[in-house]
Every structure is written in C-alpha cells, then in structure tokens.
Amino acid sequence: MSGCLSAFTGETNNAAEAEDIAGVLDIYELNIFVPTVKGVEKIVESGTYFVDSDSSAVQVIRLVNDQKEVSLLKDSGLFSFEAPEFTEIYFITAENFTMTEDGIAVLLENPAMTDLAYTLEGVKRSPTIKFEENFTGVLVYTFRPHMGGTSIYVNDGADAIQIILPDGLTTGSRIIGTASPTPDSFEEDENGRDVLKWNSPMSSVNVKYYSENAPFYLLISFSALVGAIIAVFLWYRYQIKKLHKITNLIDDEKSGFRKQQ
C-alpha cells in the first residue's frame, strides 16, 4: 500500500489547485506506509520520514485520521536551544477520503490540496500543529533541526514508522550508529535507499546514520593507530636491546663500562 508520486496524476476542477499539487509532488514522494500487523495489513496513522541527502532536513508524510491537533518532529540535539524550522506545510486529501484501502488508493491516484486554518505551537519543546476543524488526510512538511546532525528522532505519535535514508547513508553499526529499537524490517527500495520499518513501535524511534564509507575509513584509522602503537613498541624494544649491548661491553678503561658477569 505504499505509493510514490513524483508528478501530478489526478484531476481537479481548479487549474491553480492542480498546479499547486503538481509542485508539491515534484518535491515530495507521497509515500503512505501501511504496516503489516500479525500478518495483516492495517491502515493506521503512520508516518514516512525521508532524510535529506545532506542530513540537514527531513521530509515528513504523515497520515492523519480525524484529528484536531498533531505532534510534529522534535529537535533531538543536546544543545538545541533554538527552535527548529518547519516549512512547506501542506494538507493533501481526496474527495470523500476514508482510512480504508480504497480510500488510500484514491488519494494516491487523485490527490488534492486543501486549505486549512492552523496554528503552530510549542515549537521549541513540543511542536504541535492545531487545526480549527478535524482533519483526515496527509500532512506534509519539512523539518529542519537547528543543529542538523547525524540522527533522526521520531516521537510524534505515529502508530507506524517508516524511515528512508538517502543513497550513500546507512545505519546498523554498533560502533558508529544503529537504530533503536531494532526495526521490524530493514529493506532496500528500487532506488537503492535503506528503508527501516516499525509496524507498531511502543516508544520513540531513533536512527543514527552515517556514510556507507564510514566503516572503511574507521578501519583505516584504527589500523593506522595500531600500526603506530606497534612502531613505538618496536622502537622501545630496540632501544632496550641497544642499551643492553652497551652495558655488556668489556671495560677497556676507555669506555668506562664494566663487563657484566
């Protein structure tokens, strides 16, 4: 039930609206995550989170069901005293949209923009978007953490979570970084991107990611360090042996040393 749209494929009665939705879908992949719970697909208020290629932003596709307020991503940096940035907030739905398999299919085939009055509150600590009326559909926005970083922290109340890392980034190393808790599935999509899925997370999800070349560079650095330690050890042993040879010289009244017995 995951779907991706890179261009407008539906029809609307408003040319301006069609142009707007086309622009949004040129930037965002309308990917709706439908998890598998106990072997059965279940449509829930899920979230898909695309990490940007330079790790400076996250694109969020958040399915919302009859809600008047929705929590947004938080800035997880230790020194994040300033508020993160939320931009490009859009609301996408379809005519008579419902949280059903047919409803999701219609939304993916014929998405439409909708204007909603909203306020953004508690941005520094608990960012929340509040609507004037209940909303059912897809909330789309870009999250830019104040400090940037090498991890994504998801604790926005989503019932299922899908995190997609860009090509060139990965996770899973216990030394460099991993995902916590362990995802229910770790896949690779048709674009070669790592896709991590949690079908029903009980708590927040944190993924530390790094360049695919990072383990190789780390191995080189570690090898260089070990090599330097070995070189120092060998030099030390050489100096000790050299000193022993000197102390074993025969006292010839010129060297000033006495032969060891």
Side-chain angles (χ1 to χ4, degrees), residues 65-91:
N65 180 32
D66 194 30
Q67 297 291 342
K68 201 164 186 177
E69 63 179 65
V70 179
S71 297
L72 305 182
L73 290 185
K74 300 178 179 64
D75 199 332
S76 59
L78 294 176
F79 303 100
S80 303
F81 301 115
E82 296 185 22
E85 182 182 1
F86 297 95
T87 59
E88 301 169 348
I89 299 176
Y90 303 106
F91 309 100

Side-chain angles (χ1 to χ4, degrees), residues 75-218:
D75 199 332
S76 59
L78 294 176
F79 303 100
S80 303
F81 301 115
E82 296 185 22
E85 182 182 1
F86 297 95
T87 59
E88 301 169 348
I89 299 176
Y90 303 106
F91 309 100
I92 300 175
T93 187
E95 186 176 359
N96 300 320
F97 173 70
T98 58
M99 293 278 288
T100 62
E101 184 176 341
D102 290 340
I104 297 294
V106 170
L107 188 146
L108 292 173
E109 293 173 3
N110 193 22
M113 300 278 285
T114 181
D115 289 328
L116 290 178
Y118 70 90
T119 57
L120 192 57
E121 301 181 3
V123 175
K124 285 188 177 182
R125 298 298 178 187
S126 300
T128 303
I129 190 166
K130 295 186 177 181
F131 311 111
E132 289 190 359
E133 58 185 56
N134 285 23
F135 171 64
T136 297
V138 178
L139 166 63
V140 175
Y141 67 92
T142 294
F143 166 72
R144 290 183 173 85
H146 171 60
M147 297 296 292
T150 58
S151 66
I152 175 175
Y153 175 68
V154 178
N155 187 12
D156 60 4
D159 295 325
I161 295 171
Q162 175 179 237
I163 295 177
I164 301 178
L165 301 177
D167 185 28
L169 291 183
T170 189
T171 187
S173 169
R174 293 185 178 182
I175 298 175
I176 305 176
T178 187
S180 178
T182 302
D184 293 313
S185 66
F186 193 116
E187 306 168 2
E188 185 176 294
D189 68 7
E190 63 277 7
N191 296 315
R193 301 175 299 187
D194 287 344
V195 181
L196 294 79
K197 298 180 179 181
W198 291 262
N199 294 325
S200 54
M202 299 300 295
S203 60
S204 60
V205 166
N206 185 32
V207 176
K208 295 181 180 179
Y209 46 82
Y210 49 85
S211 167
E212 291 178 342
N213 296 323
F216 175 71
Y217 294 139
L218 181 63

Side-chain angles (χ1 to χ4, degrees), residues 195-244:
V195 181
L196 294 79
K197 298 180 179 181
W198 291 262
N199 294 325
S200 54
M202 299 300 295
S203 60
S204 60
V205 166
N206 185 32
V207 176
K208 295 181 180 179
Y209 46 82
Y210 49 85
S211 167
E212 291 178 342
N213 296 323
F216 175 71
Y217 294 139
L218 181 63
L219 178 61
I220 292 178
S221 300
F222 180 74
S223 299
L225 178 61
V226 171
I229 293 174
I230 293 175
V232 171
F233 175 74
L234 293 176
W235 178 86
Y236 175 78
R237 290 200 62 181
Y238 169 75
Q239 294 298 324
I240 293 297
K241 288 182 178 181
K242 185 178 180 181
L243 181 60
H244 284 169

